[in-house]
Amino acid sequence: MTATPMVKAEGVHKSFGAVQVLKGIDLEVAPREVFCLIGPSGSGKSTFLRCINHLEKINGGRLYVDGELVGYRQQGNKLYELKDREVAAQRRDIGMVFQRFNLFPHMTAVENVMEAPVQVKRETKSVARERALKLLDRVGLADKAGNYPSQLSGGQQQRVAIARALAMEPKLMLFDEPTSALDPELVGDVLDVMRDLAEEGMTMVVVTHEMGFAREVGDSLVFMDNGVVVESGDPREVLTNPQHERTKSFLSKVL
């Protein structure tokens, strides 16, 4: 018996007004898989990622996380949108790390990591704090627990953001170009944390420009352009020997 895919997209469409951003995306992400999405700006990668946790509502198709329809329930052939409370409950299991770190500026690193477990899961502050400190240690920031975001580098803020996402003990982590806002010398620390997560078996969907990371750590790679999946396969195979002219053209500019 095959495992239920952690993410399954069937004919996913998304438009903003008259602009079609996703034009029928079909893909599957297996449990424990590191799934990398690459492609030019405006190809729909980040929009697709945001659809996975219903930050964007899809206009057609179906999206499942761990066998459960995201954002909707189906009765017969009709879809009914879930209430905000039900969507929030689904999101608890999905961690998201954004390009911009979105930390609360008035809270220290440890308070940022504690916030969701205390507010959403109603954990006691002492339990949440203990886990937050462990998570900061895990991302190499044990000594920065009392620092505010303004006292941290971009790379450190992004690692706090990863710790914050992990604090909810998600079964799936989404990364939206997590290193693209960072100075080049800070990128490595963030990718190291992501590598460690991959080794621990975290299912990850990563929108990235870091081809080295995709090649080393990725299990699957999808090249998207203009709202469709152009090519997919083993990252090493696609990056070394792309089959599609559009993929070749893109990779010739970024590799």
Side-chain angles (χ1 to χ4, degrees):
M1 180 169 153
T2 52
T4 303
M6 185 57 80
V7 179
K8 183 172 184 166
E10 296 175 346
V12 170
H13 284 76
K14 171 69 186 173
S15 300
F16 293 105
V19 181
Q20 266 200 315
V21 182
L22 300 175
K23 303 171 184 172
I25 301 292
D26 295 295
L27 55 79
E28 285 189 10
V29 181
R32 304 175 71 86
E33 185 171 27
V34 178
F35 192 96
C36 296
L37 286 166
I38 65 167
S41 294
S43 57
K45 310 178 302 292
S46 294
T47 298
F48 177 70
L49 203 68
R50 292 168 67 85
C51 290
I52 295 175
N53 64 359
H54 208 59
L55 284 175
E56 298 289 355
K57 299 173 186 181
I58 63 177
N59 303 119
R62 303 275 189 278
L63 251 176
Y64 301 88
V65 169
D66 205 14
E68 195 178 330
L69 201 55
V70 173
Y72 300 91
R73 61 188 166 80
Q74 187 164 343
Q75 278 187 319
N77 291 329
K78 280 196 134 170
L79 288 183
Y80 297 90
E81 193 162 356
L82 296 178
K83 296 186 172 73
D84 289 348
R85 193 181 69 242
E86 296 169 302
V87 172
Q90 284 186 333
R91 271 197 204 124
R92 282 182 202 182
D93 292 329
I94 306 173
M96 181 138 186
V97 177
F98 299 89
Q99 201 170 347
R100 302 273 167 203
F101 329 116
N102 296 2
L103 297 177
F104 298 115
H106 61 289
M107 293 184 184
T108 61
V110 72
E111 287 166 348
N112 264 285
V113 179
M114 289 167 59
E115 179 71 1
V118 169
Q119 296 299 333
V120 179
K121 285 188 166 178
R122 300 282 179 251
E123 277 185 9
T124 65
K125 284 196 169 169
S126 59
V127 168
R129 185 181 178 81
E130 191 176 330
R131 179 167 339 102
L133 290 169
K134 279 184 185 153
L135 285 168
L136 288 173
D137 185 34
R138 184 170 163 188
V139 299
L141 293 174
D143 58 334
K144 303 289 185 191
N147 289 36
Y148 289 91
S150 60
Q151 300 168 314
L152 300 172
S153 73
Q156 290 169 335
Q157 290 186 60
Q158 192 59 296
R159 283 185 281 154
V160 173
I162 294 172
R164 180 178 63 179
L166 291 172
M168 290 295 283
E169 301 177 313
K171 55 190 174 189
L172 169 65
M173 285 282 279
L174 308 176
F175 291 88
D176 189 9
E177 298 186 16
T179 57
S180 63
L182 302 179
D183 293 332
E185 69 267 27
L186 303 175
V187 167
D189 293 339
V190 172
L191 293 180
D192 285 345
V193 170
M194 293 169 66
R195 258 187 211 98
D196 291 345
L197 281 178
E199 280 170 18
E200 289 163 22
M202 175 62 77
T203 311
M204 295 156 62
V205 182
V206 185
V207 172
T208 186
H209 295 295
E210 300 291 337
M211 300 302 155
F213 175 84
R215 184 186 281 117
E216 280 170 60
V217 185
D219 298 302
S220 299
L221 179 81
V222 158
F223 170 65
M224 279 177 70
D225 187 32
N226 203 17
V228 297
V229 172
V230 176
E231 191 165 337
S232 61
D234 179 281
R236 289 149 290 279
E237 185 63 30
V238 175
L239 293 172
T240 312
N241 187 22
Q243 299 301 303
H244 198 283
E245 284 308 317
R246 183 67 190 93
T247 320
K248 287 178 189 171
S249 153
F250 173 76
L251 291 175
S252 71
K253 295 184 179 77
V254 298
L255 285 178

